[in-house]
Amino acid sequence: MVARAGIRIEALELRRGGKRILGPLTLTLAATGLSVIMGPNGSGKTSLLRALHGLERISAGAVHWPGGTGSPPPRQALVFQTPILMRRSVADNIAYPLRLDGVALAEARGRAAAMAAAVGLGGDMARPAQVLSGGERQKMALARALIRSPEVLLLDEPCANLDGRATRDIEAVLARARAHGTRIILATHDIAQARRLADDVIFLHHGRLKEAAPRDVFFDAPQSPEATAYLNGDLLP
């Protein structure tokens, strides 16, 4: 079996108002697995996710997706730290991507109910999304992201401010998605969560790549002073 090509990020830079906020950043990620982006506040984690998803205009460099030069970006989904809620029912929030694809309402709602069950989101699918708890909102956002079977799933602090049970539920969903071949790139401050989930870690500081390594190498023998200080709980300048 021929191995799938990886994701190649080449000399990527983001600038706002003439100020460089990310890069230049060059690295290659495996085509499969779960990568965790770590770093202190303001390090560029969210900016990198947004650039990969096409929400930020890249100032220089490029992202080369599997498939060769000129290949279109894969089917993607991005889950924000604060889930986006539409003023609709839970069912219609989850079904929304299918409706954009032209799927009939009844079929879309049926598939939404099945996906809600798959992520552990119970309860009345007809209730307004606004009444959901924080953990339920994040599960709904994940269900909506996964309903089109994305090739790449990007997540920005998906378990921030959630309790332990909700965090475990969401991590279980991510583990299943990864096992089914979805390429996951996740930003988190949670060191314990990164240890549980990551295949590899990307460490950023002040918009620069300081380290990219397999999980065990990163946590057991970090190579940069910035990563070492971060893992020790020290404040970084």
Side-chain angles (χ1 to χ4, degrees), residues 56-69:
E56 292 277 0
R57 178 175 294 179
I58 295 174
S59 305
V63 179
H64 301 282
W65 297 101
T69 302

Side-chain angles (χ1 to χ4, degrees), residues 12-16 21 47 50-51 54-60:
L12 183 146
E13 290 189 27
L14 296 182
R15 294 179 179 270
R16 291 184 192 146
I21 62 170
S47 294
R50 290 174 60 87
L55 296 180
E56 292 277 0
R57 178 175 294 179
I58 295 174
S59 305

Side-chain angles (χ1 to χ4, degrees), residues 94 107-121 125 143 147:
I94 298 173
E107 179 184 348
R109 284 180 173 171
R111 290 168 62 180
M115 182 57 69
V119 302
L121 179 62
M125 294 289 288
I147 200 164

Side-chain angles (χ1 to χ4, degrees), residues 128-198:
Q130 284 75 15
V131 307
L132 298 179
S133 67
E136 288 174 327
R137 291 182 181 202
Q138 199 62 270
K139 289 178 183 178
M140 187 195 75
L142 266 178
R144 184 171 57 202
L146 292 170
I147 200 164
R148 294 181 68 243
S149 301
E151 298 169 68
V152 177
L153 177 63
L154 308 169
L155 304 109
D156 190 7
E157 299 283 356
C159 300
N161 303 316
L162 300 185
D163 62 23
R165 181 174 180 177
T167 295
R168 287 193 301 272
D169 288 346
I170 287 171
E171 289 183 0
V173 173
L174 297 181
R176 289 196 297 271
R178 177 189 176 283
H180 283 90
T182 300
R183 184 58 168 98
I184 299 174
I185 303 174
L186 178 155
T188 184
H189 283 98
D190 188 334
I191 293 174
Q193 181 175 72
R195 284 182 178 272
R196 289 192 297 269
L197 296 180

Side-chain angles (χ1 to χ4, degrees), residues 6 8 22 31 45 83 127 150 157-158 175 198 206 210:
R8 186 161 55 92
L22 184 68
K45 300 186 298 297
R127 58 185 163 156
E157 299 283 356
H206 291 319
K210 294 298 180 180

